Amino acid sequence: MGKTKKYSYDYEQYEEGKGSASMVDEILEDPEFGQVTDLVIGCWGNPCEEDCQAILDGIVNHRDRFAHVEKLFVGDMDYEECEASWIIQGNYQKLWEALPQLKELTIKGSTDLELGEISHDTLEALTIICGGLPSSVMESIQNARLPRLKKLVLYIGSDNYGFDGNGDSIRTLLEKSDFPSLEYLGIEDSEIQDELTEIVLNCKYMNQIHTLDLANGTLTDKGGKLLLERLPAYPNVKALDVHYHYMSEDMVEDLETLPVDIDASEFNEPETYDGEIWMNAMLTE
């Protein structure tokens, strides 16, 4: 059985000279690394000013030593270490070939994030956690060759923190992408969650997925009504995740009558300011 291990630096270590340039060497010096199949990269010292490119390049340059890695999470840090929108990422273009056994990739942060031309034979799960998803990243995913991808989770976020698209951008991604093995679709953490709910319910993947994830956004009764009306047409969908939402208690009760496992926890109240109603996605900054 594989081992999970997290490597990270705090700011004091960064002040002492540690950083993204030193992390790969320390990983390779770890006597336990040969048994680590689930590799977690946390804070690399000062991620709001220093990108993780040296880490990515180090993995590529030592691909023979990292070839056994099956799961990779780059950017696993909380807001006290660095706000998600401040995390400076890197270019993953060469990583796809360097990790032939990779099954799961999770990336947190979208500043300076580049996925390049995605092509991988074994990747089963791709998750991007961010305060705002850039159109360039969406385009890479849209054109990706991932024949075994089972799970796709994209945090859409806010245009204040990197999201430069709109509903049509998500519609195009879902129309043009080709993931024949997809079973879990997550389009979440959006300030236009009702609009995206309608787009997702009309996409081709609805006929093949078993889990629909629309969590962490500004889903209201408008989106809930669409789910109530449309989900019965897709008996293949067995689970619905809409936790962190703005739906009424009555709508949640109605949704819970559907023949699916549903998570509709974390109800939020809209805020009113200067006569305007404000709702926020769970993760933006």
Side-chain angles (χ1 to χ4, degrees), residues 135-207:
S135 57
S136 58
V137 174
M138 287 188 275
E139 186 175 352
S140 289
I141 296 170
Q142 172 184 307
N143 297 325
R145 189 191 70 82
L146 297 171
R148 295 191 184 183
L149 189 71
K150 296 179 180 179
K151 182 176 182 178
L152 177 65
V153 177
L154 301 177
Y155 280 50
I156 306 305
S158 164
D159 55 9
N160 290 324
Y161 296 100
F163 177 55
D164 56 358
N166 51 34
D168 287 338
S169 306
I170 308 303
R171 181 183 290 106
T172 299
L173 187 157
L174 296 173
E175 286 177 352
K176 293 190 175 181
S177 59
D178 183 17
F179 304 131
S181 301
L182 198 68
E183 299 175 347
Y184 184 117
L185 176 60
I187 301 294
E188 59 177 88
D189 191 58
S190 173
E191 295 184 335
I192 53 170
Q193 200 69 49
D194 286 339
E195 179 183 356
L196 297 189
T197 295
E198 182 171 14
I199 289 169
V200 171
L201 286 170
N202 286 322
C203 82
K204 61 187 176 184
Y205 295 115
M206 286 301 301
N207 290 305

Side-chain angles (χ1 to χ4, degrees), residues 199-226:
I199 289 169
V200 171
L201 286 170
N202 286 322
C203 82
K204 61 187 176 184
Y205 295 115
M206 286 301 301
N207 290 305
Q208 68 187 64
I209 60 173
H210 61 59
T211 301
L212 177 58
D213 180 355
L214 299 166
N216 295 320
T218 58
L219 188 70
T220 71
D221 282 2
K222 180 179 179 181
K225 186 172 185 291
L226 288 171

Side-chain angles (χ1 to χ4, degrees), residues 25-216:
D25 287 340
E26 291 205 11
I27 292 173
L28 294 176
E29 290 170 2
D30 180 0
E32 295 184 338
F33 179 61
Q35 288 74 51
V36 175
T37 56
D38 301 359
L39 174 60
V40 181
I41 305 294
C43 181
W44 45 89
N46 191 12
C48 62
E49 294 186 6
E50 179 183 12
D51 63 35
C52 65
Q53 194 61 52
I55 299 171
L56 302 178
D57 291 344
I59 293 173
V60 170
N61 293 336
H62 297 278
R63 62 183 66 192
D64 56 326
R65 300 283 303 277
F66 284 86
H68 63 288
V69 172
E70 296 181 359
K71 297 181 182 180
L72 176 63
F73 187 163
V74 181
D76 182 19
M77 60 191 88
D78 61 28
Y79 71 93
E80 292 182 344
E81 294 171 295
C82 187
E83 296 282 5
S85 64
W86 298 1
I87 299 172
I88 304 177
Q89 272 289 336
N91 190 326
Y92 286 70
Q93 173 67 64
K94 297 180 180 179
L95 197 76
W96 307 109
E97 184 179 356
L99 298 178
Q101 297 188 56
L102 191 65
K103 293 182 179 178
E104 295 186 17
L105 175 63
T106 302
I107 298 170
K108 187 171 184 179
S110 61
T111 299
D112 293 345
L113 174 61
E114 296 181 49
L115 298 181
E117 295 182 12
I118 304 173
S119 181
H120 204 281
D121 290 327
T122 64
L123 194 74
E124 296 181 355
L126 176 62
T127 300
I128 310 291
I129 303 168
C130 64
L133 192 68
S135 57
S136 58
V137 174
M138 287 188 275
E139 186 175 352
S140 289
I141 296 170
Q142 172 184 307
N143 297 325
R145 189 191 70 82
L146 297 171
R148 295 191 184 183
L149 189 71
K150 296 179 180 179
K151 182 176 182 178
L152 177 65
V153 177
L154 301 177
Y155 280 50
I156 306 305
S158 164
D159 55 9
N160 290 324
Y161 296 100
F163 177 55
D164 56 358
N166 51 34
D168 287 338
S169 306
I170 308 303
R171 181 183 290 106
T172 299
L173 187 157
L174 296 173
E175 286 177 352
K176 293 190 175 181
S177 59
D178 183 17
F179 304 131
S181 301
L182 198 68
E183 299 175 347
Y184 184 117
L185 176 60
I187 301 294
E188 59 177 88
D189 191 58
S190 173
E191 295 184 335
I192 53 170
Q193 200 69 49
D194 286 339
E195 179 183 356
L196 297 189
T197 295
E198 182 171 14
I199 289 169
V200 171
L201 286 170
N202 286 322
C203 82
K204 61 187 176 184
Y205 295 115
M206 286 301 301
N207 290 305
Q208 68 187 64
I209 60 173
H210 61 59
T211 301
L212 177 58
D213 180 355
L214 299 166
N216 295 320

Side-chain angles (χ1 to χ4, degrees), residues 243-257:
H243 82 272
Y244 189 101
H245 61 86
Y246 289 83
M247 293 184 293
S248 66
E249 185 176 337
D250 287 344
M251 179 56 68
V252 170
E253 289 179 356
D254 287 343
L255 286 173
E256 288 176 342
T257 66

